[in-house]
Amino acid sequence: MEKLSEEFYRSTTKDCKAYKDKRSFIAAPLSAEERDFPIAYSMAIHGDVEMFERLLRAVYHPQNVYCVHMDQKSAEGFQKAVMVIVSCFPNVFVASKLERVSWGTWSLAQAHLNCMDDLLKSPVEWKYLLNTCGSDLPIKTNAEMEMKLLNGQNSLESEDVPDGKKVRWQYHHEVNTDNNYINTFARTGIRKTPPPIPVFSGSSYFVVTREFVKHMLENKDAQNFMEWITVFHEEHLWASLNRLSSVPAHSKYHRSDMTAIARLQHWGGHEGDVPAAYPPYMLTLRRDVCVYGSGDLHWLFQPWHHQLMANKFDPQVDDIAIRCVKAILSFKVLNGSQFDPH
């Protein structure tokens, strides 16, 4: 099918009610349990308005709240299209401060921190916060995101730092951000001071409580750590601050990306027949992560996957896979039952 243009969204959102009806946005809480357990989203996007709207439609519920961070250097037409979509929803807003985002630098962490600050000011008393990027889609319905079962704990990857990654924070780095999306990191010979808190390794994705967000933005040790860290911030920031706030720095509390519920990613180099971590990927890898295609959906929707979201999707690689995910989620919402991937 033809890709929806930025002009399409600027035109159709002139009548917000008709737009939301036509695009099948959920108009009311689907249960008392969901109504009474609102969720917050921090959504970092940079260039594909149709993919953004697909993600928003897939996770949208009127009791939740959504902060959208647009890369400050994204095209003007894209930004205007996002703004008109957001304007149709009282619980969706653009972050009050936008960053020029470059991969691997502090800017992406700051984008989510900006949203965290805005979300704490929202009148919605959300319980948990999830962060997303433009290539994510949910693989659980809102009702299936049973964060109550976390019992006030966070869920994110947090493990000891592999030796090969320790140089990221043992030495100062010079960072070239001239290119829009690719950065050059040059390690200097200058050693950094010791970290102010124990450093752990993790991913960019998290499911965290409101209390954690508030603590992180106010705690002096957390602020000192944010000023100290150098590059690939998100792969150490959330994992380290999670231990600071609630969990002792002990191997007993390690959590891998496969046991955390934040994101299901299919990493290259770990696929194959059982007992490999992942089955063979169907299409292509990007930054060593599988871009899901239609052939991966059977694996994605297996009942043993407890993750809430999956990454990566790209309509230029397989648009049918994205449409199928939406159809599966709609089936589960409408039928109130599990989807059988067989």
Side-chain angles (χ1 to χ4, degrees):
M1 295 179 66
E2 185 178 350
K3 182 179 176 63
L4 298 180
S5 67
E6 294 164 355
E7 176 55 36
F8 168 84
Y9 291 105
R10 289 194 292 268
S11 175
T12 56
T13 52
K14 290 177 181 178
D15 183 337
C16 285
K17 185 181 184 306
Y19 162 72
K20 290 187 284 188
D21 289 345
K22 181 178 180 180
R23 301 297 290 164
S24 301
F25 280 92
I26 292 173
L30 299 181
S31 68
E33 290 78 12
E34 292 175 81
R35 179 199 63 205
D36 297 336
F37 201 88
I39 301 168
Y41 284 81
S42 174
M43 309 176 75
I45 59 175
H46 68 259
D48 186 331
V49 67
E50 183 180 11
M51 189 63 194
F52 160 66
E53 193 228 21
R54 284 170 153 179
L55 173 58
L56 181 62
R57 279 194 294 149
V59 298
Y60 182 79
H61 288 261
Q63 73 274 10
N64 295 340
V65 61
Y66 306 83
C67 175
V68 181
H69 182 281
M70 299 182 291
D71 189 340
Q72 193 179 57
K73 65 180 183 294
S74 58
E76 182 180 0
F78 166 77
Q79 294 195 33
K80 288 182 177 179
V82 171
M83 290 293 290
V84 296
I85 293 172
V86 167
S87 69
C88 283
F89 302 91
N91 56 334
V92 185
F93 61 89
V94 171
S96 60
K97 184 180 178 183
L98 301 181
E99 307 293 328
R100 290 181 60 84
V101 176
S102 296
W103 177 75
T105 70
W106 177 252
S107 56
L108 188 50
Q110 188 63 57
H112 288 301
L113 288 167
N114 292 350
C115 269
M116 289 176 179
D117 189 55
D118 289 342
L119 286 164
L120 285 175
K121 297 172 184 175
S122 165
V124 177
E125 289 290 324
W126 50 272
K127 312 298 184 184
Y128 270 86
L129 169 67
L130 287 71
N131 68 332
T132 72
C133 71
S135 55
D136 290 336
L137 283 176
I139 52 174
K140 296 285 190 290
T141 66
N142 193 78
E144 290 174 321
M145 293 185 178
E146 295 181 335
M147 283 167 273
K148 284 184 180 180
L149 300 181
L150 293 176
N151 196 28
Q153 296 294 307
N154 300 331
S155 184
L156 65 160
E157 182 183 1
S158 182
E159 299 183 295
D160 283 334
V161 182
D163 289 340
K165 291 185 177 181
K166 290 181 179 178
V167 294
R168 294 178 177 179
W169 48 267
Q170 289 175 332
Y171 292 87
H172 285 280
H173 286 71
E174 293 179 351
V175 182
N176 175 14
T177 60
D178 291 340
N179 188 293
N180 282 350
Y181 300 108
I182 300 174
N183 301 274
T184 301
F185 301 96
R187 191 183 84 193
T188 71
I190 304 172
R191 274 192 169 267
K192 292 175 62 67
T193 58
I197 64 172
V199 180
F200 292 89
S201 183
S203 77
S204 302
Y205 302 108
F206 53 73
V207 177
V208 294
T209 67
R210 183 187 187 93
E211 291 72 24
F212 170 81
V213 173
K214 193 170 187 295
H215 174 85
M216 186 175 63
L217 295 179
E218 295 176 353
N219 180 267
K220 184 176 180 181
D221 290 333
Q223 298 300 313
N224 289 339
F225 183 64
M226 291 183 203
E227 293 176 4
W228 175 86
I229 199 165
T230 307
V231 294
F232 288 99
H233 308 86
E234 291 199 304
E235 294 185 19
H236 301 292
L237 179 62
W238 319 120
S240 303
L241 293 182
N242 180 56
R243 301 295 186 101
L244 173 66
S245 69
S246 61
V247 181
H250 189 284
S251 61
K252 176 182 176 182
Y253 298 94
H254 287 350
R255 183 179 290 276
S256 73
D257 65 330
M258 296 183 73
T259 57
I261 68 171
R263 199 67 83 253
L264 181 58
Q265 287 184 297
H266 181 149
W267 289 94
H270 300 278
E271 70 280 341
D273 296 328
V274 176
Y278 308 102
Y281 61 89
M282 296 298 176
L283 294 176
T284 187
L285 296 177
R286 183 172 299 156
R287 287 183 178 153
D288 210 28
V289 177
C290 166
V291 179
Y292 295 121
S294 304
D296 297 299
L297 297 180
H298 175 269
W299 176 77
L300 271 177
F301 284 94
Q302 290 296 333
W304 59 76
H305 285 143
H306 55 273
Q307 290 89 348
L308 310 182
M309 310 281 292
N311 175 273
K312 301 180 180 281
F313 291 91
D314 184 344
Q316 302 302 314
V317 174
D318 191 335
D319 192 63
I320 296 298
I322 297 170
R323 296 180 186 277
C324 286
V325 169
K326 181 65 170 73
I328 292 168
L329 293 173
S330 296
F331 174 88
K332 292 201 288 183
V333 167
L334 293 173
N335 290 275
S337 61
Q338 293 292 323
F339 172 76
D340 183 355
H342 301 288

